[in-house]
Amino acid sequence: MRMKRRVLQLVSGVLVVLMVLALAGALALYAMGLRVSGLSWQQGLLVSQWRWQPQDCVQWQGENLRLDGLWPLRVRLSTLQGRACPDEQASDAITAQGFPDGLPWTPPFDVTVHQLDLPAVSEWPLPTLALSVRQRHQQWQLGVCSLQSCIQASYGQQDGLWRASGDGQLGEWLAQVRGRWQWQGSGTWQGTPRGQLSVMLSDVGRVEDEASANVSLDGDFVGEGWRLRAALSEPLPLMPGWWLEGGHPSVLQGEGATLTAMDADLRMTTPHGEARLQARSDARQAATGQGALTLSGPALDGRLAFVWQDRMLTLPPTTLTLPDGISVTLPAALSIPMALNGEAVLPLQVSYQGLQLQTKASQLRWQGADWLWAGALALQGRWNGYQVTGQWEGEATPRWLAGKPLRLTIAQGEDQLNVSLPVEGMPLVPEQGTATAKGQWHGYPVQAALQFARGETGWQGSLSGQSRVVALDHGGKLEARVPWRWQGNALHVQPGAQLRIDQGLVGQTLLRPVTVSTCQGLVIDEQGMRGALQVRADGLAAARWQLPRVKGEATLKGDQGQAHFTIDDWKTALSVDGTLEGGGASGSLQLNGALVPAMGQGLGMTPTAGRFQGDGRWQWQQGVSVEGELALADGEVAWGSVEGRGLDGLLAVGYEDGAPWLASRGPVTVQTLDVGTPITNLTFALEGNLSRWYFRDVRADVLGGSLVAPALDWPSNQVQPVVISQIDLQQVAALQASPTVSLAGRIGGYVPLQLGEDFLVVEQGRLANEGPLMLRVPPSQSVQAMAQSNQAVQLALDSISHLQIPDFQARMTMDREGWLDAQMTLKGVNPERKNLPVVFNYTHRENLLALLRSLRIGEEITQQLRTEKQ
Amino acid sequence: MKTVKMLIAMIALLASMAAYALDLDGAKGQGLGGEQPDGYLGVVKATPQAVELVSDINAKRRDAYERIARQNGITLDQVARLAGQKAIEKTAEGHYVKTPGGQWVTK
């Protein structure tokens, strides 16, 4: 009984220790990065999901890990997925660990992975694999298969012998490549490793190309020494237009990473020309040899000879011409140690389209696959008409850059832009950064910052800049904020991009702020710009006129575009479309709106009602020209007290070389023109350029008669006749506010006018009766008062109180100072005085301008200016 | 303390007025604008504030001229020219006026 209790205590103690050890082991694995979930027991331990994530990066993860037995250990996984994690110590770790001497001892095991996904090698995706590894008595067997490929390998720890073979389809591993691969090898992996490998690539070619070749590779190695023999049966197609062919089998020999001997004659044919590499070791001494890389063809030229001796490769000065006008020059002989670790002075000059890039104090050091370049770069030359200079000094490794900011200066004439890009800590292929630019470009002062970063889909960032519109005399600060993204060879301007120009002056015209933005973004590529731009211009102001706010949207589709703008204060809409062509642009436009008083602010007349509609074509080629038609309907216009109504007409309008013009198509009609005397049915033809106006064929009805003027030009120094006829004196008399005379009959004549820019001259105007006239002076209170004042006046009034007038003549002149001289002669009889003959002469002289000045409106206006000036 | 606060407020008020209050007399006094024979103000020395002020005043003048022209049965230009003569007559010495030949001269 006591014995049994002690056994129980011992077993309990062992179990507790095992549990503690298991718990400690689990905690340690957790701390190292192992995470498991879905732990269960189904005829063995089952882990539904697990992952290995040291330093928070998931390196391996799997599903359905099943433990089928402990001795031998049997593990099955349905999936195992590996991922690449950044590991800065990786290269150092490999160097420190070296190459292992055989495989380590392990207990017997079977590991099966039904679906193995390995991380891509240098962005080269691998196919899904199935893996089985088995070890019994330290005899290893490996099988890795994909859908079309399989590799088997075996290794025995007792004798160190290894053997491997495999075959498969190349297309499964290399996209766009077809052919079959086979390889086999054998050797020992114990002590000094040695072995031989044989690879055969059959019918290798590109998928879309019928040409193919066989490639054979045979190699062997002993320790770090190795030898490789490669042969091509036919020219091998690499890519469209690119072929590789070998004059004879190439033989390479080396020690570790060092190439010690070579015998090769390879020729690469490309669309740009041919590159031929010839190298041959000295027959007496394998470590010595010479060769050359020879370039020839339409875009290739040059020869780079090289010799190697005592593990030192020497290159003489030379220049190689490459495609796209690039040439690379080695200005001095170059000696490069053929060793895993070493350093070399590396002077280089690269030319491209007039640009020369030169290294200074250039030195390259390497250690295994790691390298570091230190020195300076100087860029200078001309590119597309610009003088370009640049400097950079620092160090570069495969992982980062360090040194001074990269500086670039681009200049042309008085334009100069200085660009600076800090590179300290930046990767060799920059991931992000901010370049700044300052200077003057196309006469514009520029200060800008370009922020860039590599995103998941490409480069992206933002451009912010400031400038000033130099065409403006004052103000005109320009600010841009443009978030951007580079994707698929296109620049995407992101929503929210905005360009704003502050107010500024052009001469004496104030340009109010203008904002151009995009709500949905723009795409800029080889086809041009596509997207929509929102435009808001707060208008223009000059001393005598204002253009109200204009807003709208422009839609761009490559070299085509259309825009819709509205001027709300003018109730006007403008639509424009156009196409870029031959360095200019052209298109059509439509305009419609209402005539509103605000349009007349800078004019001598005020449009009060009506509508207009127009369309036309426009062209931009060293200047803007516009031509089209403008229709006016139901227009109403006022010149102070002079009002015109019922204005209709069709005008041809245009603008070219800064000069506007218009011409009527058909007659322009005005139903009524009230100048104090009503004029109706006015028609005329019109031409003008806003500074000179030409009226033709002017006709109107006035006071029961008519008015005709063949031509009226304004301004003009010519005298131009206006013919009036059949004026009804009864209607003339009716114009009196309180009639003192009554008239009957009709008169006519002509009035020669000279219309000056700011004066009116009447030269020898003549009026005469067109039939018998009648004059009556009723005995009104005012007439009786005049008659009682003077006997002569009473006699005269009695004589003309009732006149039948067969002869009426009137003459009038007015000079440019406003002096009006009028003479009138009436010859008739008074039927109420036994047909008393009456001859009545009347002359009048008065300055009409002085008459106007004498009115009190002058003072009234002055007062209003005082009170309404603000 | 209260006096100091009042003083500071007054200085701030005066400063803001100096910054924004470019009025007609101020513009004329600074030689930025002057009267013209056509009845409207002209810009002698262009600044954004001067152009804005002149444009605004001319718009109001035009409205006044038009109303007066309607009331008196004459044209807008006639009223404007009459007003221009009156305005030039009343321009203070030292301020700019435009001659009929188009030249700016100080009165």
Side-chain angles (χ1 to χ4, degrees), chain A residues 469 472 476 501-506 509-514 537 539-541:
Chain A
V469 181
L472 302 182
I501 302 173
D502 275 357
Q503 70 172 13
L505 284 173
V506 184
T509 302
L510 178 66
L511 173 70
R512 293 192 170 119
V514 177
L540 304 172

Side-chain angles (χ1 to χ4, degrees), chain A residues 91-138:
Chain A
S91 60
D92 296 339
I94 289 172
T95 306
Q97 288 169 2
F99 198 70
D101 185 14
L103 291 175
W105 180 91
T106 64
F109 68 88
D110 288 303
V111 174
T112 305
V113 180
H114 297 295
Q115 183 178 324
L116 172 63
D117 292 306
L118 294 174
V121 178
S122 300
E123 301 180 358
W124 173 27
L126 299 177
T128 298
L129 304 170
L131 171 74
S132 66
V133 185
R134 176 185 176 87
Q135 190 266 110
R136 292 288 187 279
H137 311 293
Q138 304 308 309

Side-chain angles (χ1 to χ4, degrees), chain A residues 473-475 503-505 507-510 512 540-546 597 600-608 637-643 675 714 757-758 849 852-862 864-866 868-870, chain B residues 22-25 35-36 38-49 51-87 90 104:
Chain A
D473 301 326
H474 194 285
Q503 70 172 13
L505 284 173
Q508 294 193 345
T509 302
L510 178 66
R512 293 192 170 119
L540 304 172
R544 281 298 317 279
W545 54 268
Q546 293 188 1
Q601 190 177 333
L603 305 175
M605 53 89 170
T606 304
T608 53
V637 180
W639 294 262
S641 64
V642 177
E643 294 180 345
V675 295
W714 178 76
E757 190 161 3
D758 55 357
L849 299 182
L852 284 170
R853 285 191 207 105
S854 69
L855 298 175
R856 289 190 57 77
I857 56 174
E859 291 298 331
E860 185 183 350
I861 293 164
T862 307
Q864 289 194 3
L865 290 184
R866 285 201 197 97
E868 297 184 11
K869 66 187 177 184
Q870 294 294 317
Chain B
L22 180 64
D23 58 12
L24 179 57
D25 291 336
E35 295 290 350
Q36 302 181 127
D38 65 2
Y40 295 95
L41 278 173
V43 176
V44 179
K45 182 182 177 184
T47 69
Q49 292 79 12
V51 173
E52 192 84 66
L53 177 76
V54 167
S55 183
D56 186 44
I57 290 176
N58 282 341
K60 290 175 178 172
R61 282 190 179 186
R62 190 187 183 285
D63 291 344
Y65 296 158
E66 185 159 36
R67 189 171 62 251
I68 293 162
R70 286 177 186 275
Q71 291 168 354
N72 292 276
I74 54 177
T75 67
L76 179 64
D77 278 350
Q78 287 170 329
V79 177
R81 290 187 181 281
L82 289 173
Q85 290 171 5
K86 290 287 182 184
K90 290 184 175 293
W104 286 109

Side-chain angles (χ1 to χ4, degrees), chain A residues 204-265:
Chain A
V204 182
R206 299 187 324 110
V207 171
E208 63 270 28
D209 200 344
E210 289 185 358
S212 63
N214 296 330
V215 182
S216 63
L217 300 166
D218 296 295
D220 54 68
F221 64 92
V222 177
E224 290 194 344
W226 55 269
R227 207 171 79 97
L228 180 67
R229 180 180 182 278
L232 270 172
S233 65
E234 307 285 343
L236 178 66
L238 298 177
M239 60 177 101
W242 291 67
W243 298 80
L244 177 67
E245 55 185 309
H248 56 73
S250 300
V251 178
L252 305 174
Q253 191 172 320
E255 285 283 330
T258 306
L259 184 69
T260 56
M262 180 163 59
D263 184 0
D265 184 1

